[in-house]
Amino acid sequence: MKTLWTALFLLMLQWFTAQENEVYADGVFNFEENKIQKVFTDWTRVRSEPGVNARIADSLQANQQVMILRKENKVLKLGERNANWYKISYQKGGSTMEGYVWGGNLCVGYHSKNGYDFLFGLAKTIDRKNKEFIEIEKQNIAGIKVMEGNTRIDEVYFDTGKGEELSFASFNMESSHKLQNVEFTLKAVVSGEACGIAGYDQYVLFKDKKLIALPQLMNVGDAGAYYHSEKYVFPNDKGGFSNAFILKVEDMEVDENDREKKKSSSKTYLWNGSSYKLK
């Protein structure tokens, strides 16, 4: 009887350990089957099976178009990026090829305009020293690339979320916001779906084949308890003015008497047609 209870205990211990070590994919890497997607990372390996130990059948460059055939259940964690493996098909040398790629190497979003392709994705995870606590922490780095066919014209990189902050992503093209010499603006967003989980907005200006990243915005809040809000007021917005953009910051928290306490601040950045500086 003692042997039976020991066996049951070990079985339950293994089950709980497996549950604790189970990896779930980040929502930003959830790609639909039978939909076109693009490769973000150069030399993305195409495997014969879904796994890092499978044979390498091919490699693909950024901006390669692929068709998502099937999402595999297998999830790979690299740094602070968790993504499923996907079975894909693609055109190469006049033939249709198939294989498996890790979803973290695919674009989170992409757009085309005026003969250029704009790719948004998560590039890597780095180790960074936390100045406040003097310790090393993991930081995801995202990027936007502008491509002309297979040629990279420019690229910019910036911090982005991790864990539950990668539940949702969007990538949009906006107007020039009436900033001098700017053709249009790109806006990349990653965010969480739960209260208290931060979201990050990254604006990038496009002019003369160059990408110019503005200071990143962060928003977080818990309904009825607190929030921290950051936004830009551009020249074409109410309250904006020519050749500048204003960073508006607002904080609110509820005190012990259920009263809202708010404070706000702002910074103005001057734009000279090619770069910005803090006023």
Side-chain angles (χ1 to χ4, degrees):
M1 188 67 177
K2 183 177 180 181
T3 302
L4 176 61
W5 281 111
T6 301
L8 287 173
F9 173 77
L10 291 174
L11 184 63
M12 291 296 292
L13 182 61
Q14 289 177 350
W15 185 85
F16 281 117
T17 301
Q19 293 297 307
E20 290 177 357
N21 295 332
E22 190 170 359
V23 177
Y24 296 95
D26 299 318
V28 297
F29 300 123
N30 184 25
F31 305 116
E32 292 185 49
E33 296 178 356
N34 300 314
K35 295 286 187 180
I36 297 296
Q37 188 50 255
K38 285 195 171 187
V39 172
F40 181 76
T41 305
D42 283 333
W43 305 109
T44 288
R45 292 173 175 175
V46 181
R47 304 276 183 173
S48 59
E49 298 291 336
V52 292
N53 295 320
R55 178 178 60 87
I56 299 173
D58 201 355
S59 65
L60 303 176
Q61 298 300 304
N63 209 29
Q64 169 74 49
Q65 182 172 286
V66 301
M67 172 68 76
I68 302 294
L69 299 179
R70 184 175 67 243
K71 179 169 72 173
E72 302 295 325
N73 291 328
K74 196 169 186 179
V75 176
L76 172 65
K77 177 182 176 67
L78 284 181
E80 291 298 316
R81 297 169 294 157
N82 303 330
N84 293 85
W85 287 86
Y86 288 87
K87 185 176 183 180
I88 63 165
S89 67
Y90 57 97
Q91 297 295 314
K92 195 168 187 179
S95 301
T96 300
M97 316 288 284
E98 291 188 0
Y100 297 86
V101 297
W102 181 55
N105 287 333
L106 300 178
C107 291
V108 173
Y110 62 90
H111 286 286
S112 299
K113 188 170 184 176
N114 299 340
Y116 299 108
D117 295 314
F118 299 88
L119 314 178
F120 168 44
L122 273 69
K124 58 185 177 181
T125 304
I126 64 171
D127 290 331
R128 178 179 292 163
K129 181 176 289 187
N130 184 311
K131 296 179 181 179
E132 183 177 353
F133 300 105
I134 316 177
E135 61 183 16
I136 301 298
E137 60 183 15
K138 300 290 186 180
Q139 175 62 58
N140 278 333
I141 304 297
I144 294 176
K145 302 176 182 180
V146 53
M147 310 286 296
E148 190 172 22
N150 296 324
T151 303
R152 183 183 293 105
I153 303 300
D154 198 16
E155 58 190 342
V156 293
Y157 292 93
F158 44 88
D159 291 356
T160 194
K162 56 187 177 181
E164 291 182 86
E165 296 169 344
L166 296 179
S167 297
F168 169 82
S170 64
F171 186 46
N172 297 309
M173 303 188 79
E174 300 184 354
S175 71
S176 67
H177 293 293
K178 292 188 177 180
L179 290 169
Q180 182 184 1
N181 297 335
V182 174
E183 294 180 46
F184 49 84
T185 305
L186 301 161
K187 182 182 180 183
V189 176
V190 298
S191 65
E193 296 179 329
C195 291
I197 304 299
Y200 303 89
D201 297 356
Q202 181 65 57
Y203 283 89
V204 176
L205 310 179
F206 183 65
K207 67 169 295 292
D208 299 331
K209 298 184 179 182
K210 294 293 183 182
L211 297 169
I212 302 170
L214 303 187
Q216 192 175 66
L217 306 178
M218 190 272 282
N219 295 277
V220 65
D222 190 351
Y226 73 93
Y227 66 76
H228 173 85
S229 171
E230 299 179 357
K231 70 174 185 178
Y232 282 129
V233 177
F234 291 106
N236 63 329
D237 294 324
K238 183 178 180 181
F241 57 91
S242 180
N243 297 323
F245 55 95
I246 306 167
L247 170 61
K248 295 276 191 179
V249 180
E250 183 171 285
D251 290 281
M252 185 282 291
E253 62 178 355
V254 176
D255 64 19
E256 62 275 8
N257 296 315
D258 290 331
R259 292 176 299 190
E260 291 187 357
K261 299 176 64 176
K262 293 183 179 181
K263 61 179 181 180
S264 59
S265 62
S266 66
K267 294 180 181 178
T268 298
Y269 293 87
L270 302 179
W271 172 255
N272 65 10
S274 60
S275 62
Y276 65 86
K277 66 177 181 179
L278 187 62
K279 183 177 178 180

